[in-house]
Amino acid sequence: MTADNKPAIWEMVVVHRMFRRELKLAPGLIRQVPAGDTARAGTLAAHVEEVLEGLHHHHEAEDKLLWPLLLRRVAFEAELVNTMEAQHERVAAHIETLGRLVPAWRASAAPQDGERVAATVELLHGELVVHLDQEEERILPLVSEHVTKEEWDRLAEYGRSHLSKDRLLVQLGALLEDATDWERREFLSLLPLPARVLWSLVGKRQYRKEVVRVRAA
């Protein structure tokens, strides 16, 4: 595979960093919500649901587009790919559970309901970190050698196709928050000029407000 046709695997590391951060922060924020404060619970519930939806589509893209490709091309790593799929199933089970718990807490803002959500997010985060670490250590090197840039880009396109258009700048800010200077420049270079201008003029300020709104005690 030529250098020009190499997949940009660093992009997935940046995405993973965002999921690690938000799911680590969420339980503490949830536990700080005063009893009966449904407005604050609603803010955090919407944030958690958005993160979970993004994670679901991120894994769905891998399930549909990446694992079958690797199984065909790197058959000797079938056990590793099967492990990845099993980890996805465990993560999906936690997401499904949260799909029931979060709306109940949103409606009640009861501490006991919030604790159920927080504890389940912690379980999810624990499972996810193990999965992401292993994926970065063992899967991404295989991707670099056996998957083309065009095939890899389809995963990103799949994820973007499920983003709400009015949340694109916020999602971009979430990705860039912990990015290195190089990663930030590379991500922004992928955007058309009007989008880069919009990020500079509107997006940065919009994301700062979002962080304050979500993470305020």
Side-chain angles (χ1 to χ4, degrees):
M1 194 180 302
T2 65
D4 290 341
N5 202 31
K6 284 277 190 179
I9 59 175
W10 62 268
E11 294 173 352
M12 184 167 283
V13 176
V14 175
V15 173
H16 287 178
R17 208 176 289 147
M18 180 268 292
F19 287 129
R20 286 188 180 95
R21 181 189 68 238
E22 296 303 330
L23 293 172
K24 182 178 181 180
L25 288 173
L29 295 172
I30 290 166
R31 290 182 173 117
Q32 292 173 1
V33 175
D37 190 346
T38 53
R40 178 64 179 152
T43 295
L44 287 177
H47 174 69
V48 168
E49 287 171 341
E50 185 173 59
V51 173
L52 295 178
E53 183 180 12
L55 178 59
H56 165 73
H57 291 305
H58 177 71
H59 280 181
E60 189 173 59
E62 293 176 338
D63 291 339
K64 291 183 175 182
L65 301 174
L66 183 58
W67 307 146
L69 203 58
L70 290 179
L71 284 172
R72 290 197 302 271
R73 295 186 185 166
V74 199
F76 62 89
E77 290 286 14
E79 184 176 350
L80 172 61
V81 175
N82 290 337
T83 296
M84 294 289 105
E85 291 178 317
Q87 290 171 345
H88 275 197
E89 290 175 2
R90 291 196 291 273
V91 167
H94 290 309
I95 293 175
E96 184 178 354
T97 298
L98 287 165
R100 298 190 299 271
L101 296 179
V102 172
W105 174 59
R106 184 203 299 267
S108 71
Q112 62 270 27
D113 292 338
E115 180 56 35
R116 293 187 189 98
V117 174
T120 306
V121 172
E122 286 175 335
L123 291 173
L124 167 60
H125 180 259
E127 291 270 10
L128 185 64
V129 166
V130 171
H131 169 69
L132 299 183
D133 287 350
Q134 192 169 9
E135 187 169 87
E136 290 171 12
E137 179 183 348
R138 300 191 60 189
I139 292 292
L140 291 187
L142 295 176
V143 168
S144 186
E145 293 299 320
H146 301 282
V147 176
T148 69
K149 182 181 184 299
E150 182 181 2
E151 291 164 341
W152 182 248
D153 288 347
R154 289 187 194 128
L155 274 78
E157 290 166 7
Y158 186 94
R160 284 194 298 269
S161 71
H162 291 87
L163 292 177
S164 174
K165 298 299 184 287
D166 63 343
R167 297 288 292 172
L168 288 177
L169 290 175
V170 170
Q171 293 287 341
L172 177 60
L175 289 173
L176 297 181
E177 180 175 343
D178 293 328
T180 66
D181 290 341
W182 180 87
E183 290 166 343
R184 192 174 293 110
R185 287 194 301 270
E186 288 297 306
F187 251 108
L188 292 175
S189 72
L190 300 174
L191 302 177
L193 179 59
R196 294 199 299 272
V197 172
L198 190 62
W199 166 250
S200 181
L201 295 179
V202 179
K204 290 180 181 180
R205 183 171 65 254
Q206 185 176 337
Y207 185 65
R208 285 195 295 268
K209 289 181 179 179
E210 178 79 3
V211 169
V212 170
R213 187 177 71 88
V214 170
R215 298 179 194 170

